Amino acid sequence: MEVPAGLSAGKESSALPAAAALPNESQPTPATPVQITVLKAQDLKTIKSDVSVTLVRAEYNGAILGDSSKTDVLPDGTANYNFMTSFECSPDGPNPLDDIAQKPVLLTVIEVLQRQQRQKEKTVPLGQAVVDLLPLLQGQCSFKVSAPLYAVPTSPLESLHPEAKGGLEVTVCTKVPLLSAAQLSNGNLLSVTLEAAYSVPEAFAATGPLQNYMACLQVPAAGEKEFPLLFKNGILKLAGEKEPLPRPKKWPLANIMAPGALSIPNSFIVGGPYEDEDGELNKREDREFRIQAESTKRIVWDMERRCYLDPAAVVILQKRIAECRYWPVEVCRMPVAPSSKGKTSKADKGDEDKQIFFHGVAYVNMVPLLCPGVKQIRGAFRVFTYQDSEVFKKTKCQHSVFRDLRTQLNLTKEGSWTPGISTPLSRAVPSKTQKEDKEKITKDKDSNRRMSNAPKIQLSDATVEAENVTYLSLDGQQYVEAGTFLVMEIKLDKALVPKRLREELTRRVKQMIPPRPPLPPRTAGAKKAVEDYHNHVTSIAVAILSEYHELFGKRLPDQGAIDHQTLEEQKRQLNFELNSSGKYFAFKEQLKYAVVKIVREKYLKTTAFETQEQFQAFLSELYVYLVDQMHIALNQLLSEEAASPAPLSQTTEEQLWLFAREAEVNKDYKLASLYHQQRVAQDQRNIQYWLDYGAFCLLLEETTKAQECFRQALSLEPHHIQSLLLCGIVAVMLQHYEEAEIFFEDACCLEPSSIVAWTLSGLFYELQNNNIQAEMAFREAKKLLQAQLAKERSIPEAAEGEEGKKHISAGCVRSSSPGPEECLPDRVPDGSADKLPEVVEPALLCVAPEEEATAPEAALKAGEYPGKAGSSRFSEQHISGWTATPSPVSGLSQPPCTIFMKAVEFLMKVNAVQFVHRALAHELLSLQGGPSCAYYLALAQTYLLKEDLSKCEECLCEAIRIDYMNPNVWAQKGHLCYLKRDFGKARECYEQTISFVEDAADMHFVYLRLGSIYLEEKEYGRAKQTYLLACKNSASCLTWLGVGIACYRLEEMVEAENALSEANALSNTNAEVWGYLALICLQGGRQLEAEQCYKYTIKLGLRNDALLREIRAAQQRLGFGNPAL
C-alpha cells in the first residue's frame, strides 16, 4: 500500500509549479532525505470514544509517503505507531527548499472498522495533524513536536470546535543540514500573510454563481526570474462581527479534511493599533472608516505563504526595493465554472482565459525593509483599478502576473476548495492528466518570462485585451468607489539591513568618549597655598615686631599713644636696620615661594604672558589680593580672639544660572562665561551644568568648546539621551558624520519612545542624502506623536468639558490656570536621566476649537530672546517636557502639533540654529493651512540670534496677525524694539504682554527691560513696581538694582539702601550698585563709607558715564567722598 518516497502528485493547491520554484544556483547539492517518524497518538478516544484500531498516513506535497501498520488503541486513548517514512529534498527536484518553507507534512489518523462477513475492510478518516518543516531551514537537523490532532467531520453538515482533541508525537530529522553555513547566514525566509480585503464593491454578493477571490504578488528570485505568491479561495463574509484577534494563520492547502488542521501552529494574526501600521489609512481621521469597514462585507483569506530566498535572491530583493519602492499586489475575482462531462470548445476556453474580472492592484511600499533592523511590514493598502501604464509607472512591472497564470485561474467547481469540505482522500494521488497540465503550465510560464525579458513587450492577445480594457477598467473602478483596501503583512526572518546592537553602539561611544576617572586627591591646592602664605606673613610679622622691640623697647598700654612724628621716625629707623642687616631681603625670599604657589594654584598661571599689558594687569590684581590676604593674616595675629571665618557664598546654582542668562541677554558674554564656569566648579559631576555651558558655547559659535562640554557630560553618564543628541549635533557641525550617526543611532536605541531623537536622526540622515532611513525615522516619530495625542484624547470627557467651560467663561482673556510646563519640576536630581515624564503630553494642542490651549510654543522660551531664566535648562526629564509642552495660543488659532516643531523647541534651547532651519523647512512643507504662529515665532528667534532685525520683524508681524492674543509674540516684539532702541514701541509691547492673564515665557526679561524704560522716562513709581514684580518672580542683582535706583530717585533712601544691599549681596562685582551706594552714603554724610564705595566703583570700571558724573558732582558739592580731592 506504500507509495515510493518522493513521488510527485498533482499540486493544484500550490501557487507555484515545482519547475518554477526558486532555484538554488549557488550550490547544486544532491537530494537530501527528510525522515519523518510518527511515534504515537494520544487522546484518540476524545475524538471518538469507541475507536479500537487505527493507522496513520503521511503525505507531503500532494504525495502519499506511506501508511503505518494497524495499531490497537489502548484504553487511555494512546496508539503507538513508531512509523517511519521519508521524502527527498532537492533544489532542482520535486521538493525544493521553497516547498519545505511553505508546505507541511500532513498526517491523517484513519480508523479501521471491523470487517463484516464477506465485506471488504472499511477505513474512515478520524483526525488530521500538520507538521511545519520550517525549523529545517533555520539550521536544525532534527526536532520533535507534539502536533495537535483535529477531528475530521463525518459529514459536511457537522460543525466541529476548532480546538484540537488529541495529538501526535513526531520527530523530523535529516542526516545533513538542508542549508550550508553560507546559505544559513546569508539567505532569508520571506513570508507574506494576506488577511482580508475590506470595504469591497457592492457587486460582490454571496448569491449567484460561485466566485474565486484571489490575490497575487511576485517575489524576485536569483537571475531574471520571478515567482508568484498566489492567494486563492478568499471567503466572502457579509456584514457582522469583526474578525477575532488573535486568530490563526492558515496553510495554503486544499487537501485538508479537518478544518482545524488548516491553522499554522504558533502563528497568529494579532493586529494592533492602526497608528502603528506601515501602510495607508493609519491616520486618526481614518480610524472610524477602518472600524466600520471591518464589520461590513469583506473577503477573508488569513493565509500565509512562505518562500526561501538564497543569498543571490536576497541581493536581488534589496536591489529591486532600492530601484522601485512600490510593489504591486493584484486582486481579481474569477468565476468557478460548473463541472461538465463534455469537452469545452476551444473558443469558449479562449474566452475564459482572456477575461480577468474585477482586476485591481494595491501598491505596497517596501522601502521600510531597507531600514536597519526592520523585518516586517504590516498595514492597509488601498486597491486601485489595474491599468498597465499606471502600474508600470509606479512599479516598473510591465505585465500582469494574473495574465501569466490565466491557465491556472479557470477553476471548475470540483477543483475549487471550500473550507470544511474536503477533497476525497483517494484524490491525493495524481492522475496523468494533472501531470500533463502541470507541465503545460510550466512551459507557458517560461514562455511568458522570456517575453518579459525581451527589449520590447508584445503580448500575444494584445488585440483582444485592448477590446477588454474598458470592461476591465469599469470592474476595477468599483474598488476605488467602494474604498477597498487590503490588510497584509510581509515579514522576513532576518532584516535585510542589520541593525547595530545596543552593546556595539555603547562600545563605540565609549571608544570615542572614554569614562574619565576621578582626579586623584591633591595635597597642595589653592586653599593650601593661601594658608601657607598666611603662615609666612604671620612669622615675618612676629620677627619684625621682635626687631622693633629690640630697637625701641616694649611700650605698655598705659603709657599712651605715640605721636605721629615719633612713629614715622621709628618706622624710618626700623626700615634702615632691616635693609642694612639683610633681614628685609631674607623676609622677601621667605615670602617668594608662598607667592609663587598662589600664582600657580590660585590663578593657574604657568606660562608667559603674551603682552606687557596683560602682565601689568595681572600684577595689579595679584598685588591687591596679596595685600588683602596679608591684612587678614595680621588681623588674626593681632586680635585677642580668633577672627571668625568669612561667610560662605550663598549664591545657589539657580541664581548663577539666572545671572548667566542675564549676562547673555545683555551680551556680556565674558561675565556669562564666568558664571557658567562657577556653576561647573561647584559640581563638576553635574551633567546639567556641562550641557548648559555647552549650549552657551554654541551661542558664541565656539563649536569645539561646546563639543568638549557635551562629551564631558556624556562621559559622566554614557546613556544620557540629551548628551548623545547634543554630541551628534556638534559632530554634524564639525562634519564628523560617522560619529554623528553613532550618537543619533545610540540615542534612538536607548530611548525608542523619544520623538525628538527620531526627528533629529531623520534630519541627519536627510543631510546625508539617506532618504530611506530619514523617511523611516520621521515615520517612527510621527507614530510616537500620534500615540501621545491619542493618550491625551483619552482624558475623561467630563474633565475636558469642565475645563472648556472655564475657558469659554474667560472670553478673550487667557486662563490663569498653570500650564503643563508650570507643573514640571524646575530641576530634577541626577540619576533620573532615563525617566521621562508621562504626564505632560502635547495633545492639548489638538483640543476642540472652543477650548483654549494652554500656551504657544512654551518650549521656545529659551531661544526667543535669549529667553526666560531657567528656560534653556534641559535636565534629564526636560526633553519630553519641552517637546510635550503646549503653546500659549488662542483657542481660535491652534498650531498643528508636529514632530518638527518639537525638534525646534529642543534645538532652540541649545542654540543649534543649523538644525533649526532644516526642521522649520520640513514644518513649512508639512503644514496644509499655511505657516503657524509657532513657526513664525521660531523663525524670528533664529533671525534675532543672527541680529537680522528686519527679517525678525517680518516674522513677528505675521505671528501677531495669526495669533494676536499670544503673549510670547508680544514679548518677542518688545525685545526686538528694545534692541532697535525704539523704546516707545517696546514699552507698548511689554505692557501688552503684561496685560495678558497668562505670562509669557520670559517674563523676567520683560520686567527688566520695561523697568529700565520707565527709569529712562523718569516714571520712577512704575519702575519700582515693575522691578519688584521681577524680584518676586526671580530675584537677581539687576532686579534689586532697579528697585534701588527707583527708590533713590524717589528720595526713599532707606528702601534704596536696603535694595542695593540685597543687590550687592547677590553680586559684589556690579560697579553700578557700588556707584549708587556711594551716592546714598554721600547724601547721608557717611564719609568713610562713601570713599570705600567710590573706590570699588572705580576699581570695577563703571561704564555709566552719567552716573559717574553725578557722583563726582556730589563729591564736589559736599567736599568729601573722593580721596583724590
Side-chain angles (χ1 to χ4, degrees), residues 204-239:
F204 290 4
T207 59
L210 289 177
Q211 304 287 342
N212 195 333
Y213 300 96
M214 293 178 285
C216 188
L217 76 157
Q218 292 193 112
V219 178
E224 297 294 332
K225 298 181 180 179
E226 291 187 350
F227 63 91
L229 297 179
L230 183 62
F231 298 85
K232 295 183 181 180
N233 306 309
I235 304 171
L236 179 64
K237 293 188 177 182
L238 302 180

Side-chain angles (χ1 to χ4, degrees), residues 977-992:
C977 296
Y978 189 91
L979 293 178
K980 294 170 68 175
R981 305 195 66 80
D982 188 350
F983 298 126
K985 287 187 178 179
R987 172 178 172 171
E988 294 176 3
C989 293
Y990 288 143
E991 288 176 345
Q992 179 78 4

Side-chain angles (χ1 to χ4, degrees), residues 584-706:
Y584 177 81
F585 179 78
F587 291 151
K588 187 174 68 171
E589 288 298 315
Q590 189 178 350
L591 272 179
K592 182 187 292 184
Y593 180 68
V595 173
V596 169
K597 286 209 304 182
I598 285 180
V599 172
R600 290 179 176 175
E601 301 294 338
K602 178 72 176 177
Y603 290 93
L604 306 177
K605 296 293 185 183
T606 56
T607 58
F609 292 92
E610 295 180 358
T611 62
Q612 188 67 22
E613 290 78 7
Q614 291 182 358
F615 179 58
Q616 292 299 329
F618 174 71
L619 288 182
S620 300
E621 183 181 0
L622 177 64
Y623 176 77
V624 171
Y625 178 77
L626 293 177
V627 170
D628 289 342
Q629 294 300 319
M630 181 188 69
H631 290 160
I632 293 173
L634 294 177
N635 289 335
Q636 291 176 350
L637 173 64
L638 300 177
S639 61
E640 294 183 359
E641 57 185 22
S644 59
L648 298 175
S649 174
Q650 298 299 317
T651 307
T652 63
E653 67 93 3
E654 285 84 2
Q655 290 173 323
L656 285 174
W657 167 250
L658 177 58
F659 301 162
R661 293 291 297 139
E662 289 178 335
E664 289 177 27
V665 169
N666 295 327
K667 298 188 183 301
D668 190 349
Y669 298 126
K670 182 179 179 181
L671 182 60
S673 179
L674 177 63
Y675 284 129
H676 280 295
Q677 292 169 9
Q678 287 182 11
R679 292 181 76 215
V680 171
Q682 281 187 0
D683 184 2
Q684 294 189 12
R685 300 195 64 80
N686 190 302
I687 297 175
Q688 191 60 49
Y689 299 170
W690 287 107
L691 297 184
D692 290 341
Y693 192 17
F696 169 71
C697 293
L698 284 183
L699 178 66
L700 303 184
E701 298 183 353
E702 297 177 356
T703 311
T704 304
K705 187 179 290 187

Side-chain angles (χ1 to χ4, degrees), residues 23-149:
N24 184 9
E25 299 174 353
S26 60
Q27 189 176 2
T29 57
T32 302
V34 178
Q35 183 175 297
I36 313 295
T37 304
V38 183
L39 300 175
K40 62 179 180 179
Q42 295 177 329
D43 300 326
L44 290 180
K45 290 188 178 292
T46 59
I47 300 177
K48 187 176 180 182
S49 59
D50 59 348
V51 62
S52 59
V53 180
T54 60
L55 60 86
V56 64
R57 175 172 295 170
E59 298 177 56
Y60 183 71
N61 204 4
I64 298 177
L65 303 182
D67 292 350
S68 71
S69 59
K70 301 174 186 176
T71 304
D72 293 334
V73 179
L74 301 178
D76 62 354
T78 302
N80 297 309
Y81 298 115
N82 294 319
F83 167 62
M84 183 182 302
T85 186
S86 65
F87 66 90
E88 290 187 347
C89 172
S90 173
D92 303 316
N95 299 310
L97 296 177
D98 186 50
D99 283 347
I100 299 293
Q102 68 176 337
K103 295 178 181 178
V105 174
L106 179 61
L107 302 174
T108 306
V109 175
I110 301 174
E111 180 185 10
V112 181
L113 301 177
Q114 291 184 357
R115 183 169 50 180
Q116 301 294 333
Q117 292 182 356
R118 297 182 181 181
Q119 288 185 354
K120 292 183 179 181
E121 187 176 68
K122 294 181 64 177
T123 59
V124 176
L126 188 65
Q128 283 187 317
V130 291
V131 177
D132 193 353
L133 300 180
L134 192 61
L136 297 179
L137 299 182
Q138 296 173 334
Q140 298 186 34
C141 288
S142 64
F143 62 92
K144 182 178 181 180
V145 295
S146 179
L149 186 64

Side-chain angles (χ1 to χ4, degrees), residues 815-861:
S815 170
S816 60
S817 59
E821 180 160 324
E822 297 174 37
C823 303
L824 282 173
D826 202 35
R827 178 69 66 192
V828 298
D830 287 339
S832 59
D834 299 326
K835 298 176 183 177
L836 302 178
E838 298 180 358
V839 177
V840 182
E841 302 292 347
L844 295 178
L845 291 173
C846 305
V847 293
E850 65 269 17
E851 296 179 348
E852 190 161 271
T854 317
E857 301 314 320
L860 290 174
K861 3 185 184 217

Side-chain angles (χ1 to χ4, degrees), residues 136-436:
L136 297 179
L137 299 182
Q138 296 173 334
Q140 298 186 34
C141 288
S142 64
F143 62 92
K144 182 178 181 180
V145 295
S146 179
L149 186 64
Y150 297 90
V152 174
T154 57
S155 70
L157 300 178
E158 180 181 358
S159 61
L160 293 173
H161 295 290
E163 294 83 7
K165 294 186 177 181
L168 291 176
E169 285 191 12
V170 184
T171 60
V172 180
C173 64
T174 59
K175 292 182 179 181
V176 295
L178 294 185
L179 300 179
S180 64
Q183 288 176 315
L184 189 62
S185 60
N186 299 324
N188 214 328
L189 287 169
L190 174 69
S191 64
V192 179
T193 303
L194 181 61
E195 298 179 17
Y198 295 101
S199 188
V200 296
E202 289 296 328
F204 290 4
T207 59
L210 289 177
Q211 304 287 342
N212 195 333
Y213 300 96
M214 293 178 285
C216 188
L217 76 157
Q218 292 193 112
V219 178
E224 297 294 332
K225 298 181 180 179
E226 291 187 350
F227 63 91
L229 297 179
L230 183 62
F231 298 85
K232 295 183 181 180
N233 306 309
I235 304 171
L236 179 64
K237 293 188 177 182
L238 302 180
E241 295 183 358
K242 294 173 58 176
E243 297 297 314
L245 289 174
R247 61 185 186 272
K249 299 179 181 179
K250 297 177 181 178
W251 294 106
L253 302 177
N255 59 336
I256 291 182
M257 295 178 289
L262 275 173
S263 301
I264 301 177
N266 304 316
S267 186
F268 298 92
I269 297 171
V270 296
Y274 302 134
E275 295 80 6
D276 294 343
E277 294 179 353
D278 299 290
E280 308 164 56
L281 300 172
N282 54 4
K283 304 293 188 300
R284 180 167 58 95
E285 54 269 22
D286 302 319
R287 182 178 180 83
E288 185 177 349
F289 169 68
R290 290 281 300 271
I291 293 174
Q292 182 179 1
E294 289 175 1
S295 57
T296 55
K297 187 163 56 176
R298 58 200 180 275
I299 301 169
V300 179
W301 285 273
D302 289 345
M303 188 181 298
E304 179 182 81
R305 296 199 68 105
R306 307 168 182 160
C307 62
Y308 167 73
L309 302 176
D310 64 11
V314 172
V315 174
I316 295 294
L317 179 66
Q318 288 181 277
K319 181 180 177 183
R320 295 285 179 87
I321 296 175
E323 290 174 351
C324 187
R325 64 170 51 201
Y326 291 107
W327 282 20
V329 179
E330 298 181 39
V331 294
C332 73
R333 188 185 79 171
M334 296 296 292
V336 178
S339 60
S340 175
K341 294 182 180 180
K343 292 185 178 180
T344 307
S345 66
K346 291 184 178 181
D348 294 340
K349 186 173 182 179
D351 291 339
E352 290 174 0
D353 286 347
K354 283 180 291 195
Q355 292 183 0
I356 301 175
F357 300 96
F358 290 92
H359 197 181
V361 61
Y363 301 103
V364 179
N365 185 2
M366 301 287 284
V367 165
L369 291 180
L370 294 185
C371 297
V374 176
K375 299 188 292 185
Q376 174 181 328
I377 297 175
R378 182 185 180 275
F381 303 92
R382 294 182 183 274
V383 179
F384 300 92
T385 306
Y386 188 95
Q387 296 178 347
D388 287 330
S389 59
E390 188 68 23
V391 173
F392 178 76
K393 180 180 178 181
K394 279 198 167 188
T395 68
K396 304 297 186 293
C397 291
Q398 297 176 330
H399 56 89
S400 167
V401 64
F402 278 142
R403 292 172 192 163
D404 286 347
L405 303 176
R406 275 181 296 188
T407 55
Q408 290 181 270
L409 303 184
N410 293 311
L411 303 176
T412 62
K413 203 168 191 179
E414 286 82 355
S416 63
W417 167 80
T418 304
I421 302 176
S422 65
T423 304
L425 193 61
S426 60
R427 294 181 188 172
V429 180
S431 65
K432 181 179 178 181
T433 307
Q434 289 173 333
K435 289 184 178 180
E436 292 174 354

Side-chain angles (χ1 to χ4, degrees), residues 814 854-859 886-889 895 933 937 963 966-969 998:
R814 293 179 174 270
T854 317
E857 301 314 320
S887 307
V889 296
C933 175
L937 187 59
D963 188 1
N966 191 327
N968 278 322
V969 179
E998 185 175 318

